[in-house]
Amino acid sequence: MDRIISSFRKAASRSVWAYSICVIILALGSYAIGGNVAPKNIFILTWMYLCFIVINTVILSLDGIKSWERLPYLVKRIVAMPFLMGVAVLGIMNLGEIKSNYKTNLAITVVAFGVVYIIASTIGYVFEKKQTDKMNDALMAFQKEIAKEDE
Amino acid sequence: MKLFVKEKCDVKETEVEIRCRIRDREVDNLITGIRNAANTILGEKENGDICQVPVVRILYFEAVEGRVFAYLDDEVLKIKNTLYEVEESYANNHFVRISKSAVVNLRTVTNIRPEVGRRVRLELRNREFLIVSKNYVGCLKKALGMKEAR
């Protein structure tokens, strides 16, 4: 239970700032085209972020489970993708009130989300990998030093 | 073999010097014995037996439900110290805190990999792995001589 509560806190703190930014962007966009922010859009956005909080809480709660922890970085990201994609695509399709060419637009949104998500995850991984490569070098040097000390 | 013990008030840390004609097996055993005697920890096995193990043999310490356990290659010992005491006592033996509930022996880390959420994963010599919390990555880097922790 403690793990779920702490996961919820982490998920909520991550989502809140993203939600705030989205509301600001939505407001600025509406102002730019000379209209008002539709309450329906705010409702959809709130629903999306509540769903993201729930999904992220579940994902973060899995951290204590060894079989989940064993999975590599990118696999974990890909496992989480369909859930995040489902919420994001549903939200975006309703935000934009897309009615004509629904299937085509749905396919475009799904592909766009997938591509952006995979690219973002890959960039994140490459960046993190660079950091850990440096740490591995430092670890090797450190262990050599210990071996010398032991000698 | 002759054994001399000299007490000196100005010595800050106990020093042992071995003078020998050649470094043979006996000398190596002596070194191992001295090292083991200086850095050992008492632990309780699963069957209740109390044993003393050299800290260098410990892979990591973990706190589980208020109790601290020492993980070795092939066994787990329950110890009486708190994780904070372990961290303080064995910092000089290359043990470093990696999360709220774990202290790892850096000698036993074989590889470091990225992990989701700006954390890192440590692979140990027994193929187990541990996750370093985001807040403790700085401590790990500092321990490896990479940078100052915030």
Side-chain angles (χ1 to χ4, degrees):
Chain A
M1 194 63 194
D2 286 347
R3 190 192 295 159
I4 294 170
I5 292 168
S6 91
S7 302
F8 174 76
R9 279 189 190 147
K10 280 183 200 166
S13 66
R14 282 179 198 175
S15 295
V16 160
W17 69 266
Y19 173 75
S20 312
I21 290 170
C22 279
V23 169
I24 292 167
I25 291 170
L26 196 68
L28 288 175
S30 299
Y31 179 75
I33 58 168
N36 292 325
V37 180
K40 183 196 154 200
N41 286 348
I42 294 290
F43 173 76
I44 292 168
L45 209 60
T46 309
W47 170 80
M48 280 170 73
Y49 278 96
L50 286 176
C51 289
F52 286 145
I53 290 173
V54 171
I55 293 168
N56 285 327
T57 302
V58 173
I59 292 167
L60 290 169
S61 302
L62 292 173
D63 268 346
I65 301 165
K66 282 281 172 192
S67 49
W68 169 256
E69 284 183 340
R70 218 174 286 279
L71 295 176
Y73 181 102
L74 283 173
V75 175
K76 279 184 189 172
R77 300 279 300 178
I78 287 167
V79 168
M81 189 175 84
F83 304 101
L84 298 171
M85 184 192 266
V87 174
V89 169
L90 267 177
I92 290 165
M93 294 300 286
N94 284 299
L95 271 178
E97 290 182 8
I98 298 162
K99 282 178 183 138
S100 59
N101 292 331
Y102 191 86
K103 280 184 182 171
T104 317
N105 285 322
L106 181 70
I108 291 169
T109 314
V110 167
V111 171
F113 182 91
V115 169
V116 170
Y117 186 89
I118 288 169
I119 290 173
S121 299
T122 311
I123 290 171
Y125 177 75
V126 170
F127 178 76
E128 298 283 335
K129 185 82 173 67
K130 265 190 185 175
Q131 299 288 319
T132 52
D133 283 347
K134 281 182 194 169
M135 289 170 82
N136 273 316
D137 292 343
L139 178 71
M140 275 181 71
F142 175 81
Q143 286 183 337
K144 272 183 191 167
E145 215 170 279
I146 295 175
K148 268 186 196 172
E149 266 177 36
D150 289 348
E151 280 295 306
Chain B
M1 186 177 69
K2 288 179 183 174
L3 182 67
F4 303 97
V5 179
K6 289 179 186 173
E7 286 182 27
K8 276 187 178 180
C9 300
D10 57 331
V11 171
K12 283 183 184 169
E13 197 181 351
T14 306
E15 294 171 4
V16 179
E17 186 181 279
I18 298 171
R19 293 193 201 128
C20 55
R21 192 180 291 274
I22 188 163
R23 185 170 168 167
D24 55 12
R25 200 180 177 132
E26 187 189 39
V27 175
D28 282 338
N29 286 341
L30 210 53
I31 292 169
T32 312
I34 291 165
R35 270 204 190 117
N36 290 349
N39 286 306
T40 55
I41 191 163
L42 276 179
E44 189 185 329
K45 290 183 181 178
E46 271 182 78
N47 59 11
D49 290 350
I50 304 289
C51 65
Q52 197 167 23
V53 290
V55 286
V56 289
R57 275 190 60 208
I58 294 167
L59 302 171
Y60 63 98
F61 293 96
E62 189 178 34
V64 183
E65 291 169 1
R67 290 175 179 171
V68 179
F69 296 89
Y71 292 80
L72 286 81
D73 284 298
D74 47 2
E75 60 185 338
V76 180
L77 304 172
K78 190 163 80 184
I79 61 162
K80 284 188 175 171
N81 313 51
T82 63
L83 208 60
Y84 178 73
E85 286 168 349
V86 165
E87 184 189 4
E88 290 283 300
S89 311
Y90 302 119
N92 291 338
N93 290 90
H94 315 297
F95 279 82
V96 64
R97 185 76 165 244
I98 55 160
S99 66
K100 275 185 191 169
S101 61
V103 172
V104 72
N105 181 359
L106 286 177
R107 289 168 187 265
T108 65
V109 178
T110 54
N111 197 9
I112 304 173
R113 286 171 186 266
E115 185 59 43
V116 175
R118 285 189 284 150
R119 298 171 303 164
V120 295
R121 176 203 296 237
L122 303 180
E123 288 179 3
L124 307 182
R125 67 170 179 229
N126 66 343
R127 306 220 168 216
E128 256 191 84
F129 63 87
L130 294 170
I131 306 288
V132 182
S133 302
K134 190 172 68 180
N135 295 338
Y136 289 93
V137 172
C139 297
L140 176 66
K141 284 184 177 176
K142 190 188 171 194
L144 293 173
M146 284 179 74
K147 68 160 202 178
E148 287 295 311
R150 273 183 292 172

